[in-house]
Amino acid sequence: MKAIDALSQRGREAYGNVLRVDFEVFFEAMSNLYHRKDNPKGTFPLNTAENKLSWSMLKEKLELVSSEKSIPPWVSGYTSCLGNDFFREAMAGFLEQFLTHCPVHPDQLGVSSGATATIEMTTWVLGNPGDVAVFPAPCYPVYSKDIGNKAGVERYDLITHHELSEIKEKPTLSIKHLKKARKDIEKAGKTFKLLVLTTPDNPTGTIYSKKKLTKIANWCIDNHIHLIVNEVYGLSLVDTTHPAIKEDYKKQRTFTSFTQIMRKQQSPYLHLWYALSKDLGISGFRIGLVHSYNEAFIKAYDNLNAPYLVSNHTQWLISMILSDHHFMREYIEYNQKKLTEAYVLVIKYLKNLQIPYVPARGSLFIWADFSEFLVQNSQRAETRFWEKLYRKTGILLTPGEGFGHTKRGLFRIVYSCFDVPDLTVAMERLNQFVQKARAEER
């Protein structure tokens, strides 16, 4: 008997169902990281959305808290399955001050062990197996697993454009697109249950205006569709007034949290996702949350969330950081400055190489078009180029496969994994690769 035969049907499906197509290569690259002295020929994994630019500042603060503060008694015992009251109060205060700029009640928060757990839990509570969640394409590939592995909710990639030039600095999603998606889904005998938007967007880095979010929210409420907005990159913003990039932006737009619309509407169909993994660069701490005015949803979340609880010690330690608003203000300003510096560097090289890209206003990445180097417009050709770039340069980008887009040759460049001096080395390698590839085509 084979080992796999001893598994359940679910286990057998999981056995052959990888989380991400690039993960195996990612861990290979991580074992051979570039170091200017110790490993100058090492690799640059720029495919996973991790922010390492400001970790030293946060690490110092965490170590200071751990050395100076006494651990409270509640840390060693059981606590609320929504998250400890003390932690949710600290989180609500942090959100109000820095992200939402409007009141957030701790009782309207559910805390889980990371963004993935929060997404999975939310989908489990709101959707039935076979229901459909709509995502404007291109969109984060692993959403498919997050909503499908346990909840059994299906993903629908809503195509709103083909060429990057059509985006014009902002998401192209419209009510017309949503009506078409609903028609397609219902024609297939399924239910359009969820609409998920990410702002700043993953992978384009564009942001939704308050006006557009309000219009979409009203449509969803009228059609009894749950609208969930993911603001996991809400504080990871780029300074679009920087002299080197300001010409990319015809208008200056301010990020506005969806929470302001939720507070005004008080609808059971509107929800927010957030996590500390990106804005604080602590993905390993595993802290995600959902915010909702739907009392029944929060109660159901409470009853199901026990397997996804965040360690009490982690909750306590992070609450100490979040409650120090003076430190958090300094950290956010410093982090945005570091993100802008890295973003500007990559954009400089893309402009010089005449590689099309979407001007980002936030997030940790750039959505760029390398389709000119594909021998044909196919997934196979895209994969071959992605592998060749990695083998020749050590630069690992996020492949377009799984983002649900129609055009091949689009890749995500994460610019927050290395500091500017090291990132410059990666961009020089990319520059040499592109110049050589073009010379060979002549």
Side-chain angles (χ1 to χ4, degrees):
M1 181 180 181
K2 296 181 179 179
I4 191 173
D5 294 332
L7 305 181
S8 67
Q9 179 62 35
R10 294 188 298 271
R12 290 194 293 273
E13 290 176 358
Y15 173 81
N17 193 2
V18 297
L19 182 65
R20 287 176 53 158
V21 297
D22 57 338
F23 251 27
E24 183 176 347
V25 185
F26 168 69
F27 289 117
E28 173 190 306
M30 287 296 291
S31 68
N32 184 34
L33 281 178
Y34 168 85
H35 188 277
R36 63 196 75 174
K37 291 183 179 180
D38 298 337
N39 193 21
K41 294 184 178 181
T43 58
F44 290 93
L46 307 180
N47 65 317
T48 301
E50 287 190 310
N51 179 6
K52 300 179 181 179
L53 298 177
S54 306
W55 168 238
S56 59
M57 181 178 182
L58 190 61
K59 177 176 179 287
E60 182 179 344
K61 179 67 173 179
L62 289 167
E63 290 174 342
L64 182 65
V65 169
S66 296
S67 65
E68 293 185 346
K69 300 290 184 179
S70 177
I71 300 175
W74 64 264
V75 166
S76 64
Y78 291 116
T79 191
S80 168
C81 288
L82 289 174
N84 183 267
D85 292 346
F86 183 76
F87 177 75
R88 282 185 291 145
E89 288 175 5
M91 178 63 79
F94 165 78
L95 293 173
E96 289 179 9
Q97 185 69 30
F98 300 105
L99 182 73
T100 68
H101 302 294
C102 70
V104 174
H105 199 285
D107 290 344
Q108 295 165 343
L109 300 178
V111 179
S112 296
S113 52
T116 298
T118 302
I119 296 166
E120 186 172 87
M121 271 290 302
T122 302
T123 313
W124 183 273
V125 174
L126 297 180
N128 296 309
D131 283 347
V132 177
V134 172
F135 300 84
C139 192
Y140 176 55
V142 188
Y143 270 137
S144 301
K145 301 292 191 300
D146 296 344
I147 68 172
N149 281 346
K150 294 184 179 178
V153 172
E154 300 176 7
R155 171 171 172 161
Y156 177 102
D157 289 304
L158 178 54
I159 306 300
T160 64
H161 66 280
H162 181 71
E163 298 292 343
L164 297 192
S165 58
E166 298 176 61
I167 298 178
K168 298 179 181 177
E169 303 180 49
K170 59 184 179 180
T172 53
L173 178 66
S174 68
I175 300 300
K176 183 179 179 181
H177 291 129
L178 294 173
K179 289 180 177 178
K180 181 185 182 301
R182 185 180 183 188
K183 183 178 179 181
D184 290 346
I185 292 166
E186 291 180 347
K187 187 176 180 180
K190 298 183 181 295
T191 301
F192 183 167
K193 182 59 74 73
L194 309 169
L195 172 64
V196 179
L197 309 179
T198 304
T199 181
D201 182 57
N202 179 358
T204 66
T206 55
I207 61 176
Y208 285 87
S209 67
K210 186 176 182 179
K211 182 179 179 180
K212 174 162 278 193
L213 283 175
T214 300
K215 193 172 183 179
I216 294 171
N218 289 336
W219 185 86
C220 287
I221 293 170
D222 290 343
N223 290 277
H224 295 175
I225 293 169
H226 290 279
L227 171 59
I228 308 169
V229 177
N230 188 348
E231 295 184 356
V232 69
Y233 302 101
L235 298 175
S236 299
L237 304 176
V238 172
D239 178 9
T240 56
T241 67
H242 191 286
I245 58 173
K246 65 179 182 179
E247 65 180 20
D248 279 348
Y249 309 93
K250 294 180 180 179
K251 293 182 179 180
Q252 292 301 321
R253 292 188 174 90
T254 303
F255 170 81
T256 302
S257 175
F258 182 59
T259 310
Q260 296 183 18
I261 298 170
M262 291 172 55
R263 179 172 171 77
K264 182 177 180 180
Q265 299 279 26
Q266 300 279 314
S267 170
Y269 289 99
L270 306 181
H271 319 273
L272 180 88
W273 283 334
Y274 186 67
L276 300 179
S277 50
K278 313 305 180 184
D279 288 342
L280 269 65
I282 52 172
S283 54
F285 279 65
R286 313 306 302 149
I287 302 173
L289 67 87
V290 63
H291 170 41
S292 177
Y293 284 88
N294 187 325
E295 294 181 2
F297 167 79
I298 292 295
K299 179 62 177 176
Y301 200 99
D302 186 6
N303 290 337
L304 290 169
N305 196 46
Y308 299 99
L309 288 174
V310 179
S311 155
N312 281 355
H313 183 265
T314 298
Q315 291 188 58
W316 167 74
L317 180 60
I318 297 302
S319 67
M320 294 291 97
I321 307 297
L322 299 179
S323 299
D324 187 341
H325 288 182
H326 175 72
F327 169 80
M328 287 310 309
R329 185 172 291 104
E330 289 186 337
Y331 171 84
I332 291 168
E333 291 176 357
Y334 175 78
N335 187 52
Q336 291 181 356
K337 180 176 180 290
K338 299 292 286 185
L339 288 172
T340 299
E341 290 173 354
Y343 176 82
V344 166
L345 172 70
V346 177
I347 292 301
K348 182 185 75 172
Y349 277 89
L350 294 180
K351 283 183 176 181
N352 289 339
L353 290 170
Q354 297 184 319
I355 300 292
Y357 62 91
V358 179
R361 295 179 183 273
S363 75
L364 309 178
F365 23 73
I366 300 162
W367 190 234
D369 186 350
F370 291 85
S371 59
E372 69 167 285
F373 302 105
L374 270 57
V375 294
Q376 60 185 25
N377 184 36
S378 68
Q379 186 59 63
R380 182 179 180 182
E382 178 181 281
T383 301
R384 287 180 63 186
F385 170 79
W386 172 67
E387 292 175 341
K388 181 179 180 181
L389 175 64
Y390 172 62
R391 298 304 172 191
K392 294 289 186 179
T393 69
I395 299 170
L396 183 63
L397 305 182
T398 318
E401 183 178 356
F403 279 90
H405 198 48
T406 52
K407 186 174 183 177
R408 303 276 72 84
L410 304 181
F411 293 87
R412 192 183 72 170
I413 306 171
V414 180
Y415 56 81
S416 56
C417 299
F418 294 86
D419 60 22
V420 167
D422 290 355
L423 191 59
T424 301
V425 175
M427 291 301 102
E428 279 296 327
R429 290 188 190 179
L430 178 66
N431 179 64
Q432 294 173 17
F433 176 86
V434 168
Q435 299 288 13
K436 183 178 180 181
R438 285 175 175 161
E440 291 173 350
E441 289 179 359
R442 296 193 186 104

